[in-house]
């Protein structure tokens, strides 16, 4: 079967999977599945998730994207999206991240949640979902795109697993009784220079709203959030392009700091 067949989901799946395997960005898939077709876009994402699991991957949570009104306006959409987190996407703060794992990386700071219980209530709200959270933690998400030049529509980013890449969690695990996610203030530094600022209010008005939206949406897709899941709730401020050798540190009030270092490529040969 080729991209010219009548199965647009299979064609989009094949294009994105090939891009990931060959580390070569590909053309947008919206021309195959439509720029706003949420059903087909998530169908592509599911096929990619199933393939990654067959290859030995294990899901450990979800990420929420398109939570910023500014980004929604930029892409002409009016709703967030989600992607899957896999075990091999988690990066320790102590080790430099190889850019060989990424194509077109950008980095952003977020509030992450780790769940204490399954969330299977279709009417869950920002208030009631708090009871299912074990703790919150400062996080960095390294977003990436298999679509060349980040030339994406809503359907492109959904199909491409929410433009996911890697993530880093901070060391401080903070119960929700000790922090109000909407009130969190974020400052992100690149090599000690301030590069991005924002707040919890930039994430759908409150990261708890993003978590509740995800819980309802995941349940509607037949795959509810589970105890132990990590949830990246969405960017608190503008993302920054990643370059070799850069060091990133984000401070989130009430949650502490989280940092990531990107490896400098080794130069082959010599004089």
């Amino acid at each position: 079967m080729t991209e010219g067949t009548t199965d647009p989901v299979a064609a989009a799946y094949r294009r994105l999977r090939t891009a990931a395997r060959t580390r070569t960005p590909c053309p947008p898939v919206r021309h195959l599945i439509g720029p706003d077709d949420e059903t087909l876009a998530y169908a592509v994402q599911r096929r990619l998730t199933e393939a990654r699991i067959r290859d030995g991957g294990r899901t450990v949570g979800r990420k929420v994207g398109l939570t910023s009104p500014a980004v929604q306006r930029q892409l002409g959409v009016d709703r967030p999206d989600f992607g899957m987190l896999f075990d091999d996407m988690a990066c320790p703060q102590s080790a430099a991240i190889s850019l060989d794992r990424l194509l077109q990386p950008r980095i952003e700071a977020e509030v992450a949640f780790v769940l204490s219980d399954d969330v299977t209530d279709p009417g869950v709200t920002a208030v009631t979902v708090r009871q299912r959270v074990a703790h919150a933690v400062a996080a960095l998400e390294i977003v990436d795109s298999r679509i060349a030049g980040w030339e994406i529509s809503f359907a492109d980013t959904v199909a491409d697993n929410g433009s996911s890449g890697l993530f880093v969690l901070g060391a401080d695990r903070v119960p929700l009784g000790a922090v109000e996610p909407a009130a969190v203030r974020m400052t992100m530094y690149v090599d000690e220079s301030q590069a991005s600022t924002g707040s919890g209010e930039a994430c759908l008005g409150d990261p708890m709203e993003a978590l509740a939206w995800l819980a309802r949406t995941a349940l509607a897709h037949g795959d509810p959030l589970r105890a132990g899941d990590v949830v990246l709730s969405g960017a608190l401020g503008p993302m920054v392009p990643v370059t070799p050798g850069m060091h990133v540190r984000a401070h989130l009030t009430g949650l502490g700091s989280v940092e990531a270092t990107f490896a400098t490529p080794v130069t082959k040969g010599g004089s």
Side-chain angles (χ1 to χ4, degrees), residues 135-137 170-175 255:
H135 58 267
V137 58
D172 297 334
R173 299 179 175 184
V174 182
L255 293 174

Side-chain angles (χ1 to χ4, degrees), residues 162-217:
S163 301
S164 63
L166 307 171
F167 67 94
V168 183
L169 299 182
D172 297 334
R173 299 179 175 184
V174 182
L176 289 185
V179 65
E180 187 53 58
V184 166
R185 295 294 180 264
M186 178 278 294
T187 306
M188 187 166 72
Y189 302 88
V190 172
D191 299 329
E192 302 307 319
S193 296
Q194 183 174 302
S196 178
T197 62
S199 71
E201 295 170 344
C203 179
L204 291 185
D206 183 346
M208 300 306 305
E209 291 287 356
L211 177 58
W213 172 86
L214 175 63
R216 294 189 300 268
T217 304

Side-chain angles (χ1 to χ4, degrees), residues 1 25 61 72 76 89 103 106 132 140 143 171 184 218 222 225 255 265:
M1 185 179 292
Q72 289 185 356
M89 293 167 63
L103 295 180
R106 302 174 180 182
R132 313 298 174 83
L140 291 169
V143 293
V184 166
L225 298 181
L255 293 174

